[in-house]
Amino acid sequence: MIITFTTYSYLFGTPWGKHAFSNQVTKYMVSKYPDVKVIGQSVQYEFKQMRYSSTLTTEEIEFHVRVNNNGTLEDDYYLSTLNTKLTKVLTSLVKNVDQEGNARFIIEETNNDDKAILQSELTPVLQAHSKIFIYLSKDITNDENGLQTCYKILEGIKSKKIDGNIVFFFQKLPKVFIGYKQMQEIYTAEDIKKYLKN
């Protein structure tokens, strides 16, 4: 029984460890983000790093708090806020041409989760770490209007000044890959053909 509990604790942490970390995160949030109303928190144990992390939810977003390499707490609140905000903008663009379509914007982890991220255009560093996933409900690769649909969405993305590496999915299959630097090289629907994958 002792060996089993020791193994369980090694893989999943201890109940009192999770409780202590939850309290630590609560104090951190009150101190750093006094105006943010957290409505849920779940604590996980990352056995490879042998440390706890928390997933927190508000009415609008889900974000994470973890222990960094210096042993202090850090979070991705601002990145998660930006991801959610731009996902909504992109989803609205997609639904203008495909009611069943969807979109998702993700900035992969960076070392900078500063509030300035929300107040300026995406820097080249963030552009390189940004991914835009466009999900269309039909496979339109063989449809004459298909590339035009992609182009309309791409033009909408450009008009909103959202940059990132774009992947268009047709019926859940990735079919078009456009790098953030290549976005500015596309002037017509025909230009998208060279980014089509079989």
Side-chain angles (χ1 to χ4, degrees):
M1 186 73 171
I2 294 173
I3 294 172
T4 303
F5 182 74
T6 303
T7 303
Y8 179 89
S9 298
Y10 175 75
L11 294 174
F12 303 106
T14 62
W16 53 89
K18 288 182 178 181
H19 180 73
F21 187 75
S22 175
N23 288 339
Q24 187 181 0
V25 169
T26 300
K27 288 176 186 172
Y28 170 83
M29 288 301 299
V30 168
S31 172
K32 188 170 180 184
Y33 304 106
D35 297 330
V36 174
K37 185 180 177 186
V38 175
I39 58 175
Q41 179 185 176
S42 64
V43 178
Q44 303 82 36
Y45 183 72
E46 301 166 0
F47 79 93
K48 285 185 180 178
Q49 287 81 24
M50 297 182 71
R51 60 186 177 198
Y52 295 96
S53 65
S54 273
T55 301
L56 295 98
T57 53
T58 68
E59 288 185 359
E60 296 182 349
I61 68 163
E62 181 178 282
F63 63 102
H64 307 90
V65 177
R66 63 183 61 84
V67 178
N68 63 23
N69 293 333
N70 299 326
T72 58
L73 293 180
E74 66 179 8
D75 63 85
D76 62 0
Y77 175 76
Y78 291 117
L79 280 178
S80 294
T81 300
L82 183 62
N83 287 341
T84 301
K85 174 184 167 187
L86 294 182
T87 291
K88 286 178 182 175
V89 171
L90 291 166
T91 298
S92 176
L93 288 172
V94 170
K95 292 206 178 281
N96 285 336
V97 294
D98 183 348
Q99 279 297 309
E100 296 174 32
N102 213 329
R104 188 161 179 215
F105 180 88
I106 299 172
I107 296 179
E108 295 176 329
E109 286 197 35
T110 68
N111 293 327
N112 182 10
D113 188 40
D114 194 274
K115 191 174 185 176
I117 287 172
L118 299 178
Q119 299 169 340
S120 62
E121 292 183 14
L122 297 179
T123 65
V125 171
L126 289 178
Q127 289 169 353
H129 287 88
S130 301
K131 292 195 180 345
I132 299 170
F133 299 113
I134 306 295
Y135 303 95
L136 299 174
S137 62
K138 297 175 184 171
D139 185 351
I140 54 178
T141 48
N142 298 319
D143 181 354
E144 280 297 316
N145 296 322
L147 293 179
Q148 191 61 41
T149 299
C150 292
Y151 182 69
K152 279 183 189 173
I153 294 169
L154 189 60
E155 283 297 289
I157 292 170
K158 286 183 186 178
S159 74
K160 300 289 184 184
K161 296 184 177 173
I162 303 172
D163 292 316
N165 301 296
I166 303 176
V167 182
F168 282 87
F169 290 80
F170 302 145
Q171 292 180 325
K172 301 182 181 177
L173 296 173
K175 293 290 182 111
V176 178
F177 300 83
I178 303 171
Y180 76 96
K181 289 182 179 177
Q182 298 162 332
M183 283 176 67
Q184 305 311 320
E185 299 170 4
I186 297 173
Y187 302 102
T188 67
E190 196 69 19
D191 292 339
I192 295 177
K193 272 189 179 175
K194 61 183 171 185
Y195 302 105
L196 259 173
K197 308 295 180 195
N198 294 327

